[in-house]
Each structure stands twice: as C-alpha cells, then as structure tokens.
Amino acid sequence: MSKLSNMELPSIFSSFAEARKNGFLAVKKLKEQGLGVVGTFCTYTPVEVFWAAGLVQVGLCSTSDETIPEAEKSLPRNLCPLIKASYGFAITDKCPYMYFSDLVVGETTCDGKKKMYELLGEIKDVHVMELPQSQSSPEAKAWWRGEVVKLKNKVATKFNKTITDADLTRAIKKRNQERLALKELYELSTLSPPPMTGLTQLQLLYGSQFKFNHQAKMADILGAIEKIKKVYAEGQRPVSEKAKRVVVTGCPMGGATEKLTRAIEESNGVVVAYENCTGAKQFDRLVPEEGDPWTNLADYYLAVGCAVMTPNPNRLELLGRLCRQFAADGVIEMTLTACQPYAIESRAIGQFLSQEKRPFMSLETDYSLGDFELLKTRVAAFIENLS
Amino acid sequence: MTLVLGLDVGSTYCKGAVVGPEGLVAVLKEPTGWDLTGVGNLVIDRLKSLTNLMVLPVAATGFGRGAVAQALIRPTEITCHARGADYLLPGIRTIIDLGGQDTKVMIVESGKVKSFQMNDKCAAGTGRFLELALNRLAIDLNSLPDNWLPSTVSLTSPCAVFAETEILGLLSKGAPRLEILKAVVESLANRAASLAGRLEPTAPAVLTGGLAETPGLTVALTRAFGVPVNNLKNGSYAGAIGAALLLGRFNQKTTSHEKTPAERGPENIIWRR
Ligand code: SF4
Ligand code: SF4
C-alpha cells in the first residue's frame, strides 16, 4: 500500500463505514418504530418529498458484484453492472434497504434502468417517474413538476399521509443543510496538499447516505469536518505535497469502484473532487427556499447534469468549475461497462477538457476486482505524464 | 562517471540498459523464465561486470518491475517506452510496442506520452499470438522477403486460439506456409491498428519491443496504420533505456527537444474494454 493509505485519519471516519454494516438492524429498528421506508436509485429523485412525509429514504444503487450472476439469469449480460447488481440484490433479499423498503421509486433515466424497473415491479411496489430527456424547455419543466406532484400523491396514498407545502419547505431546508455540510466537507480538499485522501472523502460521502436521523447525521458530518481541520492545523499531512490532484467524473462511484480511487492514490495521485453522483453532483447546488416549493424542487432536480440528458451542458459547467476550484492536474473519468450515455458522452468531455487545458483519461470498468492491475497501469502512466 | 541502469522486466525477456550523460553505454537481455527477481539480479550483475562498476542505481519497469527490490523508481512501461524511443530516434511521434503479452500504441511529443491505447486483456494482437502461429507453421519470421506483397489468404479471427485452428485449416487446403505467415502478420498489424483507432498516429512512427528490428513486420504495420512504420535499432531496449533516463535525468542532453509549447501532459485517453 502507498504512503497515502497508511496515513489515514482514524476514529470518527470509521463510524460512517459502520453505519453501512449495521444497516440491516438499523432499518429493522426504524420499521419497528412504524416508519415507512422508500428506496431510491438516482440523483434525480426528489427525496424531500419522502422527508416531508416523515418517511425514511435510502439509496438502493448496489456497488458490489456479489449478486450479478443471479441477476444475469433474467437480465442480459452486457448490461451496466449497477443495474444488474441492484436487481440482483432485490431478488436475493441480500440488501437490507431493498428488503425493507415499502416503496421503490425510479425514473426513466437510461434504457437499462427503466426496463429493469419493469422486472422489479414484479416483486416490489415500484413507482417510476417519467423524467424528460432535456432540461431547458418550459414544457419539460412543467412536465417534471407534474411528475413530482404525482409522486407526492402516490406517497400520500400509499402511506396514508398528508404532505403540506410547509412540510415540504421544512424538508427542503433540512436537505439543504446537509448539502451545505457535505459540500463544506469535500471542499476541504481544495487545500494543498488536501487534508484527506480521495478514498476517505469517497467513503465519507458514500457512507453519509446510510444515516437516517437528520440531527445525528449533521453532527457526524460537522464532527468529521472539525476533526479533519484540527488534525491538519496540528500539522498532519495525510497526502503528500507532490501528489497529482485528480478530479474524478463519470458514472456513480463507491463500493467496488473504489478501486479506481485506490489505483490513483497508489500511483502518486490524489482524488480531490468527485463530480459523479456520489459527490458534487448531489451537493453542489441548493434548492431555493423562497417561492413555490414544488416548482423549486422540480426545477432543482431537473437541472442535475447527467449523461441521460440531451444536451447535457450542466455536467460540463460543474466539471469545469471543480477543475478550477480544486486546481486539478488532470481528470479521470470512470464509465461502467455497457453504460451508453456516459461512454458516448466521453468524447464531449474530452473535447471540453482539451479546451480547458486539463489532461483527461477515460477508463471503463465494472464491479469485478480482476482488472485492478490493468486500471493501475493506465492510471500510473497518465499520472506520470502529468506535467 | 554517473551511470544508471534501467531494467525492463517483460514477460518474455528481461532487458537491461546502462546509460550515462554521454548516452547509451551497454545493453543486454536474458529470457525471463519464472523467477523475476532472479533474472533481474542476473541482468544487473552482468551489466555491472560489463561496465566494471560495483554500484549502479537501478530503475525498473515492465510487468515484473515490482520484483526488483533495489529499484529506486518503478515507472510504467508506457512512460519508459516513450522516453526510450525518443532517445533512440529523437522527435518520434508514434510508438507501436508489440510485447509478449500486451500491445501498446503511444502518441508522444518530445518523449512525453500524449495518449496511448493498450491491449492486455487477451492474447489477440500480442507477441504471444505470433509465437503460437510461428510454432504451428514451423517457420521463421525472417523468411518474409523485404517489401512483401499482401497475402493471398487471410485469417478471420483475431483470437490466438481460434487463429491456430484456422491456420490448420489453411494448411490442409494446401495454402503455402509463407502466405499464411503473411496473413498472420497482417492480422497482428490490423489488430494493433484498430487498437490505435482513436489516436490518429502520425509519422515518424517506430516499432519497439522484441521484434523492433524485424523488417517483415513494419511492412504490414505501415499498410495497416497508413503511416510509414520504421524498425528501430535497439528498439527492444526502449523501455529499459527510458527507465534509466528517467532515473538519471540526462534527458535535456540526450534528447532532441529543449522545450515545447503546451507541454502539459496527456490528453484524451479513452480506454474501453
Ligand atoms: S448517473 Fe445519472 S442516472 Fe445514474 S444515478 Fe446519477 S443522475 Fe441518476
Ligand atoms: S451507470 Fe449508465 S447504464 Fe448504469 S444506470 Fe447509470 S446511466 Fe444507466
């Protein structure tokens, strides 16, 4: 292991990882308290709707290849591993969140996901929101607002709740607080050298989605920020001054795909920011708190810059901004095998970064660990040649 | 005198090069075998006695670089090939490296990698593919005449295992062994060219790796790449030389370039499995 990984911060960081481990018991306990659980898959899902109804919301995107063979009995092999794994965990009852969720909410994002939801509908109560394929027209915005209201009605009927505008506004404020805190956390890596490795950052961001109590979650995040700042102020440097600063973009990261971060950080690089759904894409902006909360919520989510949109200018805007803010030496994109939207968009990303004068490499991988050395050779060669 | 040693531990051969401020001093290679550490030490010892030096700082590259305990740096073979080839032929822009178990195409500028593609997931298009075919045909690569014309037969499968079956089929139909050899080399060259699909290779282009000095290969590569691909003297040592140069930092004196505009590193490397 590299110097980087040996010098990671201890104690409080591990509490997030444990939250993952204790997932089963935690969700069971919540259910025993009579709380409804909603499982979601995507950054386009307006989670504030569930919060406003007092429900527990949890991400269901699976990041391990454990159940892929099971999923491949019903799904084609050349499908994105995220979709296969998520479906696999559903049919094998191996994911506590999927298992305990009363309602699953998906969107018509990529073709693979929307067709998988049809199959998932055979075993779970699945509500699919119809996401427009482009973001700017008034028709698209109006349509999406309608879908958000439909979701509210679905939730209200299913869980026998009323959701008022005031409930929603409160939920928006809570979620905004979390966004601000998580943004403050990852923006610590604008420091040079960064006060945490990219692996630590990823695990903190990823782990935060498995904490369900707002107060406790806020305390954890703010505690982590304080701890990192304090240790840094005392002179500890978990990352070498010489490490090349990399911004990661592409498909969602976490779990098995931590291998990309490891490959970077074992090759004299450090991930300073994630543009992906695990990172800045989720926390960078805030939902406006004044005005009609339903319109605000719909407009906010529709503007998420994902490759399923055409065109997709918001991804470029965020990526360019992160590169400047974090003083990136280079950008590495991860696309998952068989993910057409991101694989095709790679070219546009490459052209954009070439104008921005940021070296760029795009790598395709899946949830297996077999290609770690292949990834590492490529990543190491890329980093060696950064000036 | 400050000399440094570069070691390229490949899957077939372990190559060593000693480089100093005045340039290349000595090269040699040994078959890799199973003992990576052992063969590394053997090459180091032989180069030490060749240069009459007790101590030589070592830089290691190649897939077995991790086994070389005394290495001070372990850069990737991609960076090393670029640096080494640019030393051997200053101003080089495209490098095709046919290795024993992988094939790489690199676009370089002033010895720095701008972009690369690499196949190391399967044997198609690698030296291993060629080796299997040559064994099956019991023929030497040097039997290819200079400027040979395209083959009258062709192989359809890039897979090393299926190609062997295809070769048997062609032999049983009475196709001349030389024509089959040409088809094998063409298949290899086309595979390398398709790997380079996105890279837009430009001249000057060279072949590195164990077959760097085999003229029969560059004929096919030139046709497949659409740019003249040249043989490179000592090209099999490009990786070892590059590793030594990176350690010794003699590059300003030994390579052609002083400074280049916009030397900001790689761009647009896209790898799909
Ligand atoms: S990458 Fe796109 S489709 Fe996937 S979770 Fe993120 S926003 Fe949703
Ligand atoms: S990674 Fe790509 S293919 Fe997979 S779910 Fe996300 S958008 Fe769809």
Side-chain angles (χ1 to χ4, degrees):
Chain A
M1 291 292 273
S2 71
K3 296 164 263 157
L4 290 174
S5 329
N6 281 340
M7 289 173 64
E8 283 184 20
L9 298 163
S11 64
I12 189 147
F13 299 94
S14 54
S15 84
F16 278 141
E18 268 164 39
R20 286 272 290 134
K21 283 189 205 127
N22 296 330
F24 250 106
L25 294 171
V27 192
K28 187 157 172 279
K29 223 165 128 188
L30 294 170
K31 294 219 51 163
E32 282 162 2
Q33 294 165 19
L35 292 171
V37 176
V38 183
T40 61
F41 281 100
C42 172
T43 307
Y44 285 106
T45 318
V47 296
E48 286 85 342
V49 175
F50 315 124
W51 293 25
L55 303 168
V56 173
Q57 170 268 328
V58 62
L60 294 178
C61 281
S62 301
T63 56
S64 122
D65 64 357
E66 190 186 334
T67 62
I68 288 182
E70 205 49 47
E72 282 177 351
K73 289 181 185 168
S74 336
L75 294 171
R77 286 199 63 210
N78 62 339
L79 185 64
C80 151
L82 191 157
I83 301 174
K84 283 193 289 195
S86 301
Y87 181 71
F89 274 97
I91 54 174
T92 54
D93 286 343
K94 279 187 176 165
C95 167
Y97 309 115
M98 180 72 90
Y99 181 80
F100 284 120
S101 56
D102 305 292
L103 176 68
V104 171
V105 176
E107 293 74 24
T108 53
T109 49
C110 61
D111 289 351
K113 259 189 185 164
K114 72 187 181 208
K115 298 307 283 184
M116 183 270 278
Y117 293 144
E118 291 177 10
L119 303 193
L120 196 60
E122 294 168 7
I123 49 173
K124 296 296 276 189
D125 184 1
V126 178
H127 176 85
V128 177
M129 301 177 75
E130 204 175 325
L131 181 73
Q133 306 207 335
S134 65
Q135 299 156 311
S136 51
S137 73
E139 291 84 355
K141 288 182 180 170
W143 176 270
W144 183 239
R145 188 184 183 283
E147 286 294 303
V148 174
V149 172
K150 263 198 233 167
L151 177 68
K152 173 186 89 164
N153 294 337
K154 167 80 192 185
V155 167
T157 323
K158 167 105 192 171
F159 296 95
N160 197 18
K161 305 253 181 189
T162 40
I163 305 169
T164 64
D165 286 7
D167 291 334
L168 185 64
T169 303
R170 262 195 304 278
I172 288 175
K173 285 186 175 155
K174 272 208 273 179
R175 182 64 181 152
N176 275 350
Q177 274 181 11
E178 290 189 9
R179 287 193 180 100
L180 272 175
L182 287 163
K183 187 171 176 169
E184 188 183 341
L185 175 70
Y186 72 71
E187 282 185 343
L188 292 175
S189 283
T190 53
L191 287 168
S192 179
M196 64 187 138
T197 64
L199 193 60
T200 301
Q201 186 190 134
L202 182 61
Q203 288 171 347
L204 288 171
L205 294 177
Y206 184 76
S208 75
Q209 56 175 325
F210 300 99
K211 296 191 176 272
F212 307 112
N213 179 296
H214 172 70
Q215 249 76 41
K217 186 172 172 180
M218 286 298 293
D220 273 346
I221 302 168
L222 296 177
I225 294 172
E226 281 322 304
K227 175 103 186 183
I228 292 168
K229 279 189 183 165
K230 183 165 168 276
V231 168
Y232 196 76
E234 286 165 6
Q236 283 195 38
R237 295 290 178 268
V239 179
S240 151
E241 189 108 29
K242 292 199 198 105
K244 296 287 180 196
R245 305 169 64 87
V246 176
V247 167
V248 168
T249 181
C251 297
M253 294 267 300
T257 49
E258 275 180 6
K259 65 185 170 181
L260 177 63
T261 302
R262 289 182 198 276
I264 293 169
E265 303 200 328
E266 288 176 21
S267 307
N268 302 317
V270 56
V271 180
V272 285
Y274 296 89
E275 183 274 334
N276 322 52
C277 271
T278 335
K281 196 172 292 190
Q282 274 198 67
F283 313 119
D284 174 60
R285 297 173 299 126
L286 299 180
V287 181
E289 294 174 5
E290 306 296 323
D292 171 32
W294 298 99
T295 307
N296 288 343
L297 195 65
D299 286 354
Y300 168 86
Y301 279 102
L302 190 60
V304 167
C306 168
V308 298
M309 288 293 168
T310 178
N312 180 22
N314 296 353
R315 181 177 175 207
L316 298 184
E317 189 279 321
L318 176 58
L319 185 57
R321 194 151 44 79
L322 291 176
C323 283
R324 290 187 295 274
Q325 188 188 0
F326 288 81
D329 294 308
V331 176
I332 297 183
E333 177 184 61
M334 182 202 76
T335 70
L336 290 171
T337 301
C339 171
Q340 290 182 340
Y342 278 93
I344 296 171
E345 201 166 277
S346 258
R347 186 161 169 275
I349 299 293
Q351 284 171 343
F352 169 73
L353 289 170
S354 165
Q355 285 163 16
E356 296 275 304
K357 309 224 182 307
R358 307 275 172 186
F360 169 65
M361 175 164 68
S362 175
L363 299 171
E364 179 188 317
T365 189
D366 59 16
Y367 286 178
S368 68
L369 287 179
D371 65 351
F372 181 71
E373 290 302 324
L374 307 193
L375 285 174
K376 206 174 149 184
T377 303
R378 284 158 180 82
V379 164
F382 178 76
I383 292 176
E384 280 166 6
N385 286 280
L386 293 174
S387 50
Chain B
M1 191 162 54
T2 45
L3 295 183
V4 291
L5 192 159
L7 207 59
D8 178 0
V9 191
S11 61
T12 320
Y13 280 96
C14 175
K15 286 84 58 176
V18 175
V19 181
E22 309 304 322
L24 192 56
V25 176
V27 293
L28 65 83
K29 62 181 158 193
E30 291 286 343
T32 299
W34 57 270
D35 180 7
L36 301 180
T37 307
V39 74
N41 287 333
L42 177 65
V43 172
I44 293 172
D45 289 344
R46 288 196 52 200
L47 280 169
K48 278 183 183 166
S49 54
L50 251 175
T51 52
N52 283 320
L53 285 171
M54 304 286 284
V55 197
L56 272 174
V58 175
T61 185
F63 95 103
R65 63 184 182 277
V68 186
Q70 63 268 60
L72 299 173
I73 56 168
R74 293 187 184 82
T76 61
E77 47 277 44
I78 298 160
T79 304
C80 292
H81 268 268
R83 196 51 79 83
D86 187 65
Y87 167 79
L88 293 168
L89 190 67
I92 192 69
R93 296 302 306 275
T94 303
I95 300 168
I96 303 159
D97 174 45
L98 292 181
Q101 64 180 16
D102 59 24
T103 298
K104 300 183 270 291
V105 180
M106 290 154 270
I107 304 298
V108 300
E109 212 177 293
S110 312
K112 276 209 135 192
V113 179
K114 296 307 275 182
S115 194
F116 64 91
Q117 285 286 318
M118 184 173 185
N119 160 43
D120 49 10
K121 280 225 93 160
C122 91
T126 68
R128 183 82 188 122
F129 168 87
L130 189 61
E131 196 184 314
L132 285 170
L134 291 177
N135 283 343
R136 181 52 78 185
L137 291 167
I139 197 169
D140 193 285
L141 206 48
N142 292 320
S143 43
L144 283 172
D146 288 355
N147 293 322
W148 51 274
L149 296 172
S151 175
T152 52
V153 297
S154 66
L155 296 179
T156 52
S157 172
C159 166
V161 176
F162 290 152
E164 227 183 329
T165 321
E166 263 190 80
I167 290 171
L168 283 179
L170 289 168
L171 283 171
S172 72
K173 279 189 221 144
R177 283 191 303 154
L178 187 63
E179 288 307 303
I180 303 177
L181 173 61
K182 289 180 187 172
V184 166
V185 172
E186 282 167 352
S187 161
L188 191 72
N190 290 336
R191 182 80 187 175
S194 72
L195 187 65
R198 299 174 180 263
L199 297 182
E200 300 180 20
T202 50
V206 289
L207 176 62
T208 63
L211 302 164
E213 297 182 50
T214 312
L217 272 183
T218 42
V219 174
L221 287 168
T222 297
R223 281 201 284 262
F225 275 74
V227 294
V229 179
N230 300 303
N231 293 104
L232 184 62
K233 188 159 185 310
N234 281 328
S236 60
Y237 296 100
I241 294 169
L245 288 172
L246 285 168
L247 180 60
R249 297 175 181 275
F250 316 117
N251 45 327
Q252 280 86 348
K253 284 172 202 156
T254 49
T255 53
S256 61
H257 54 94
E258 293 302 327
K259 49 181 173 286
T260 51
E263 203 183 323
R264 60 186 163 82
E267 55 186 32
N268 274 331
I269 301 170
I270 296 187
W271 180 53
R272 298 282 171 258
R273 307 203 299 174

